Amino acid sequence: MATTIYTYLHNDDLNGSRIVSMDDCMCKLYDVRRDDLDFLDSFKSDLQQPALYILLDKDSRKAYVGQTGDALKRILQHTSAKPFWTEVMVFLGTNEDTLSITEVLYLEYLALEKASSVKTYDLSENSQSTKPPKMNVMQKSKTDKFFKYVQFLSKFVGCDLFEPRPSVILTTTLESSMP
């Protein structure tokens, strides 16, 4: 099966802020550089909705996983409150599949559980433990599917927060020496 991925490059910069989406996908990723206030201003109406977001510094391998009812407002708050990050990944529902507050709470729970289990990033900025909210079966199923897209799109933009690091297996070859 093939997947078509669409990437909007803000300011035509391969390393800059971008929006990533796929055909028939309920999830859209806004991958925003910390210093790109122009991007935030250009897409403020898109970002003023419930979202799962992840503050990242890929170089120091530090992350903060959060959820919000207004992604733009929360990102701007974190600009002064959490100085470690260099980019933020914001996961929003598409026009047909907007997220509820309950769903973003569940996504935060799933993201923290998965990231904590693989231990590829320092998550010490997340000081509160989360619990899954009460959801009906259909809502949980939709959100579980959405989280699969979160993991896929994260990996696509070079973030291995949800990917276990390969373990290095060292083997030793013993050579017998002939007398």
Side-chain angles (χ1 to χ4, degrees):
M1 184 170 150
T3 300
T4 302
I5 299 174
Y6 302 95
T7 303
Y8 166 82
L9 299 175
H10 190 63
N11 297 325
D12 295 327
D13 181 358
L14 289 173
N15 296 311
S17 298
R18 56 194 160 181
I19 301 171
V20 182
S21 62
M22 301 183 320
D23 282 336
D24 302 322
C25 180
M26 61 179 29
C27 179
K28 188 182 290 188
L29 167 60
Y30 288 68
D31 186 26
V32 186
R33 300 303 173 258
R34 181 187 180 107
D35 60 354
D36 196 349
L37 296 177
D38 180 48
F39 181 92
L40 293 176
D41 188 52
S42 296
F43 294 98
K44 63 183 166 191
S45 63
D46 294 358
L47 294 167
Q48 292 175 318
Q49 61 179 306
L52 169 71
Y53 68 92
I54 302 169
L55 304 176
L56 289 169
D57 184 334
K58 291 177 185 169
D59 292 335
S60 69
R61 304 200 60 78
K62 191 169 189 172
Y64 174 84
V65 177
Q67 58 76 30
T68 183
D70 183 335
L72 177 64
K73 181 178 176 183
R74 195 70 175 131
I75 292 165
L76 294 173
Q77 289 170 341
H78 283 315
T79 302
S80 59
K82 296 206 179 288
F84 78 89
W85 61 280
T86 58
E87 74 182 272
V88 59
M89 295 189 306
V90 181
F91 298 92
L92 299 168
T94 60
N95 293 339
E96 305 82 38
D97 293 300
T98 57
L99 297 169
S100 70
I101 295 297
T102 302
E103 290 165 340
V104 294
L105 284 166
Y106 184 55
L107 287 168
E108 178 188 41
Y109 168 77
L110 292 174
L112 279 169
E113 287 293 305
K114 181 69 174 181
S116 295
S117 73
V118 298
K119 299 178 177 140
T120 56
Y121 275 72
D122 170 5
L123 298 170
S124 61
E125 293 286 326
N126 284 94
S127 56
Q128 298 179 359
S129 61
T130 62
K131 296 179 186 176
K134 294 185 189 281
M135 303 172 78
N136 67 44
V137 173
M138 292 185 328
Q139 194 175 27
K140 185 178 179 305
S141 177
K142 171 191 168 189
T143 312
D144 286 337
K145 182 177 178 180
F146 191 98
F147 186 64
K148 289 180 182 183
Y149 290 120
V150 166
Q151 294 174 86
F152 181 84
L153 292 172
S154 296
K155 190 174 181 178
F156 179 78
V157 297
C159 176
D160 60 351
L161 177 66
F162 305 115
E163 298 293 318
R165 297 190 93 172
S167 57
V168 178
I169 300 173
L170 299 175
T171 58
T172 308
T173 304
L174 297 175
E175 294 180 13
S176 59
S177 57
M178 301 291 286

